[in-house]
Amino acid sequence: MPHYLVRKLNHWVCLSADDKQILKELARDVTWFRSNQDAINEGITPRYVSAVLEGWACCYKQLNDGRRHIIAYSIPGDFCNTSIIFSNDINYSVRAMTPVRIARIDRQGIRCAMERSPVIAHAFWLDILATAAIQREWTANIGLRTARERIAHLICEIVIRMQAVGLTDQDSYTLPLTQEDLGETVGLSTVHVNRTLQDLRASGLIEWKRRHLNILNFQNLSEVAHFDDSYLYHSYNNLDIN
Amino acid sequence: MPHYLVRKLNHWVCLSADDKQILKELARDVTWFRSNQDAINEGITPRYVSAVLEGWACCYKQLNDGRRHIIAYSIPGDFCNTSIIFSNDINYSVRAMTPVRIARIDRQGIRCAMERSPVIAHAFWLDILATAAIQREWTANIGLRTARERIAHLICEIVIRMQAVGLTDQDSYTLPLTQEDLGETVGLSTVHVNRTLQDLRASGLIEWKRRHLNILNFQNLSEVAHFDDSYLYHSYNNLDIN
DNA sequence: CGCATCCTTGATTTCATTCAAGGATTGTGG
DNA sequence: CCACAATCCTTGAATGAAATCAAGGATGCG
């Protein structure tokens, strides 16, 4: 099985063999979480950075009256809490959406690696910036798009992100969400998500059965979504150039 | 007039006199933008990092059909585009909401300062993490709260942020937004923002006249908003400790 | 095979948008 | 300093989108 963490970071920069080795050694401490289990809970500050190696996790916030909102997905190669590298605080929880294999990386180790290898440092920077760009897009997605557009947009985003780590087959991929999860992600009720999905299916844009999502017409779907993938790409800014 | 950039960063770490001097020198290149003028436009990649010294700016995204969403406010001391330090890409625009004084900081200069002073490096880290935490909160705010709660939450957040740079008078501050801006921020129509504000006023929670917002009962307002300010604070993670 | 979870559907209600227009405030130029 | 325009705020009425309520059906898991 490929090392998705290395693959993901290698997507931002060009890692040397040494860099890859360093990263693999950093990610030795691996744990399984079963579906629906909390990997990180808002109450307890972790001392390590978690990265998903296999399966899906989500970051979510919960109000004291029970309402919940999913603020991010962590797919293979994604970090769940990079902020821990430089801060002691975390203000969301992380939950396994499938059985998930997570590497727990010593934050001191990451800082050392960043000091020793400028390329690794840059990879972490770009990864953090990419996460922030996605978060901004999600804010706007919920804030200004209709139900149909929101869901279409999310589906488009994920296909690109899954492609980046080689987890797609053409325009189809495993989307291990319930419709309730999807609702908590895009700010819609489960019932309305269901109807909107039927609408997208009836328009011949997608198929989605048994966790398997297939985009029938990416071009049309991204037009429906007003999807512009540029926020998912980050060009390397050569440190020597101003 | 205080140097809000220094004041803001000093909120995260303890800057030495030298550090402060370095930052002031970095921020020499100052420009005014008039109200409603774009300081950064999505199309053109800036080569410098912009920081607001005076006035308000907002970061926004716009769809090709004209729909607009404000994804962040930049108040005095805030950076508008820290991502430029390490990446060439930006996928949103920045617009002055009032006449605004912006320092344009050479990104190479920032990287040098971060290398020379670990404290400055840490300040930038924490600032970026803080911005990301706010963005996550905004995503959840729009996604799971009602109109009343959303607006209340935003008002609570801003009072804390304004306090951090000393721009409040008790629980009141200058909020230089139109109701249309507010709608584009929390994902509501102008008309509904208006009615919701009247509701908050009628409940004795706030006053808002002529750009001047006054929170009459912060305790109650934050309960209405389900506001928990912890996402706005970031404790220094001592680099020597694991 | 049976239970639990998830998906689907219909009916109803609620929240928010849209449309339209009048009033207040602010800013500008004469 | 006043007049006028532009922007912004406010209100009412009608429409529409999404939530809620309720229940049946499918799917998958033990």
Side-chain angles (χ1 to χ4, degrees), chain A residues 5-152:
Chain A
L5 182 54
V6 170
R7 188 181 278 195
K8 169 79 179 307
L9 290 179
N10 201 44
H11 191 251
W12 304 127
V13 297
C14 187
L15 295 168
S16 70
D18 276 357
D19 291 329
K20 289 179 185 172
Q21 195 51 38
I22 290 171
L23 288 169
K24 281 177 188 166
E25 272 165 30
L26 275 176
R28 271 173 322 198
D29 174 9
V30 174
T31 322
W32 277 97
F33 290 90
R34 58 178 191 281
S35 205
N36 257 357
Q37 192 181 1
D38 268 13
I40 296 172
N41 197 294
E42 199 171 341
I44 305 137
T45 299
R47 298 222 156 279
Y48 42 78
V49 174
S50 292
V52 172
L53 300 179
E54 203 180 337
W56 279 50
C58 69
C59 305
Y60 69 96
K61 281 174 180 270
Q62 195 151 25
L63 300 186
N64 46 24
D65 63 9
R67 277 179 288 173
R68 198 171 83 108
H69 189 84
I70 293 174
I71 52 168
Y73 296 136
S74 294
I75 69 173
D78 285 347
F79 293 98
C80 307
N81 59 338
T82 39
S83 61
I84 286 298
I85 301 174
F86 284 87
S87 162
N88 290 316
D89 302 294
I90 185 159
N91 40 62
Y92 54 88
S93 303
V94 177
R95 179 170 297 180
M97 313 193 79
T98 65
V100 72
R101 206 157 62 90
I102 284 184
R104 308 196 300 181
I105 308 174
D106 178 69
R107 56 186 183 172
Q108 178 76 354
I110 293 181
R111 291 195 298 251
C112 288
M114 288 175 79
E115 274 171 36
R116 271 191 292 159
S117 163
V119 174
I120 288 182
H122 211 164
F124 273 94
W125 269 107
L126 287 185
D127 202 75
I128 287 168
L129 298 182
T131 305
I134 290 170
Q135 198 67 59
R136 284 192 295 269
E137 193 68 36
W138 280 35
T139 305
N141 192 31
I142 301 175
L144 62 69
R145 287 191 179 82
T146 64
R148 187 179 155 91
E149 293 166 348
R150 275 181 228 183
I151 291 176

Side-chain angles (χ1 to χ4, degrees), chain B residues 147 187-189 191-192 210:
Chain B
L188 296 169
S189 68
V191 172
H192 200 55
R210 301 220 205 108

Side-chain angles (χ1 to χ4, degrees), chain A residues 183-241:
Chain A
E184 289 177 342
T185 305
V186 294
L188 297 168
S189 69
T190 309
V191 172
H192 200 58
V193 166
N194 182 282
R195 289 182 172 131
T196 307
L197 284 170
Q198 286 179 52
D199 182 29
L200 290 172
R201 280 192 275 244
S203 307
L205 295 168
I206 61 163
E207 289 172 342
W208 188 19
K209 258 182 217 149
R210 303 216 205 112
R211 315 275 105 127
H212 186 82
L213 188 128
N214 186 22
I215 300 176
L216 298 171
N217 189 328
F218 181 80
Q219 182 61 31
N220 285 2
L221 188 67
S222 59
E223 275 164 25
V224 164
H226 296 266
F227 179 71
D228 171 358
D229 64 3
S230 58
Y231 72 99
L232 292 170
Y233 300 107
H234 295 268
S235 69
Y236 194 94
N237 165 24
N238 189 322
L239 294 182
D240 301 327
I241 297 171

